[in-house]
Amino acid sequence: MKAIQQYDFGGPEVLTVTEIPEPEPRAGRVRVRVTGTSVNPADLAARAGWLRQVLPDLAPPFILGADLAGTVIDGDGPFAPGTRVAGLAPWFVNQEGTYAEVVSIDPAHLAQIPDGVDDVTAAAVPITSETAWQSLDLGGLEAGQTVLVTGASGAIGGWAVQHAAGRGAKVVAVASNGDEKYVEGLGADIVLGRAGDAGELAAAVRKAVPGGVDLVVDPAGIGGDLIHAVRDGGVFVVIAVVPEPLAERGVEVRRVSAQSDGALLAQILADLADGKKKARVGLILPLTEAAEAHRKSEERSVRGKIVLTV
Ligand SMILES: NC(=O)c1ccc[n+]([C@@H]2O[C@H](COP(=O)([O-])OP(=O)(O)OC[C@H]3O[C@@H](n4cnc5c(N)ncnc54)[C@H](OP(=O)(O)O)[C@@H]3O)[C@@H](O)[C@H]2O)c1
């Protein structure tokens, strides 16, 4: 099968199209013929080598990729051969990446893709939507509370806005320039621009919500003085690999670590099929152009997920 291997850390050029044997059937696993995967910031960090800050033993050769959509070939578990599935592979645990034509995966990580959701869209969903949901859980968000979401034009931020609005929270969101209408359409009640530093953003939030927000979820990794935006005793959830802000005024700082959850993904995909939520796909390229996809992602020239089709 074709897979994108890397034999060294480095720039996008280290992503190499190779032919390797398909994974053998294994107890407790299913094999999935991949139709789509997507590019995530962690893929860029792993490829370049700086993810060794959190995974010190990471060493090439390995195959990148955590998201997948595809069709079940065979194996154990609830999905019959031919079922369309999507999932978040536990790449951080086993480095068995999804930039490949066939993957072997524990079916607990998978969800059936409902009718009405195509494979490209499904491939864009798993890690970012699950991380956003789990960030709100970690922050203890309750209906009626107010949450600030940074990076709302991005993947996790966009999901966090939609999930929080769906849970009955009031959402203050930070949009990228020119993207305010889109973010408003995701369900944000107040949309702020991203100009200024962390302290200025905190001041803008305090102007909009004088008592401070109950919760900040920060996929943009702004951190620092943005903690001033949280009310006394609130929660600040760190998502990106950045230093944590210094806790103050009883505000708790918590760091999310996404856990693959097929049941949660099934619920999110059902919301997509029902038109209650939407995924943002910005560019579709064939898997063999993974290096070009990484270049585009690093240039930050694409708004929305970059999906690699197989
Ligand atoms: N903890 C976990 O388990 C976990 C799981 C998955 C991902 N992550 C991490 O979460 C982070 C976000 O992932 P993602 O997929 O959502 O990335 P993404 O789609 O690239 O979104 C990041 C967003 O942050 C915005 N942004 C960057 N700097 C900003 C600033 N100074 N002020 C305001 N907005 C800013 C970007 O806007 P522009 O596009 O305008 O620059 C973009 O919209 C990444 O660091 C990723 O590695 C963590």
Side-chain angles (χ1 to χ4, degrees):
M1 68 168 183
K2 272 196 184 54
I4 307 298
Q5 284 263 24
Q6 68 177 85
Y7 298 93
D8 211 346
F9 292 121
E13 69 283 353
V14 301
L15 299 177
T16 310
V17 182
T18 44
E19 281 289 336
I20 57 171
E22 287 186 3
E24 297 289 333
R26 271 177 66 180
R29 298 274 188 113
V30 293
R31 293 192 303 169
V32 177
R33 187 162 301 286
V34 176
T35 52
T37 179
S38 86
V39 177
N40 283 290
D43 301 352
L44 308 185
R47 190 209 70 224
W50 72 260
L51 201 68
R52 281 177 295 178
Q53 286 176 53
V54 283
L55 288 178
D57 295 334
L58 183 65
F62 55 79
I63 295 172
L64 290 174
D67 286 331
L68 81 134
T71 306
V72 172
I73 301 170
D74 56 20
D76 294 338
F79 304 109
T83 306
R84 289 193 312 130
V85 290
L88 164 53
W91 189 91
F92 272 74
V93 178
N94 59 22
Q95 282 86 59
E96 294 179 26
T98 58
Y99 288 17
E101 286 182 323
V102 178
V103 297
S104 163
I105 185 168
D106 180 335
H109 302 303
L110 301 176
Q112 183 167 353
I113 303 173
D115 291 345
V117 178
D118 60 54
D119 286 30
V120 166
T121 304
V125 171
I127 189 170
T128 53
S129 68
E130 293 181 42
T131 304
W133 186 272
Q134 291 165 1
S135 298
L136 299 175
D137 279 351
L138 184 65
L141 185 71
E142 293 173 8
Q145 288 192 323
T146 302
V147 57
L148 171 70
V149 178
T150 68
S153 295
I156 295 175
W159 284 112
V161 170
Q162 296 183 82
H163 293 332
R167 292 182 184 202
K170 179 174 175 182
V171 183
V172 183
V174 183
S176 292
N177 296 339
D179 205 39
E180 295 79 3
K181 280 277 164 234
Y182 178 82
V183 170
E184 202 179 303
L186 298 177
D189 300 280
I190 299 172
V191 179
L192 302 174
R194 58 169 278 184
D197 63 16
E200 287 168 328
L201 182 57
V205 174
R206 283 278 178 168
K207 202 169 167 198
V209 184
V213 297
D214 299 290
L215 168 66
V216 171
V217 296
D218 184 24
I222 295 170
D225 287 345
L226 186 58
I227 198 166
H228 302 333
V230 187
R231 69 160 165 81
D232 294 0
V235 182
F236 190 110
V237 173
V238 178
I239 301 176
V241 184
V242 290
E244 294 174 9
L246 294 176
E248 60 180 28
R249 300 173 291 105
V251 175
E252 279 194 44
V253 177
R254 302 175 186 164
R255 185 180 286 278
V256 75
S257 174
Q259 304 299 316
S260 177
D261 182 343
L264 169 59
L265 181 59
Q267 177 194 323
I268 294 165
L269 290 171
D271 283 349
L272 276 181
D274 291 346
K276 291 182 191 152
K277 290 179 184 164
K278 52 190 174 193
R280 189 177 213 184
V281 175
L283 181 66
I284 304 166
L285 288 173
L287 178 68
T288 49
E289 290 187 32
E292 177 61 9
H294 275 223
R295 275 182 210 105
K296 294 270 185 220
S297 184
E298 280 175 352
E299 286 165 15
R300 305 219 50 82
S301 56
V302 177
R303 200 163 266 169
K305 296 291 293 179
I306 301 178
V307 172
L308 298 170
T309 54
V310 184

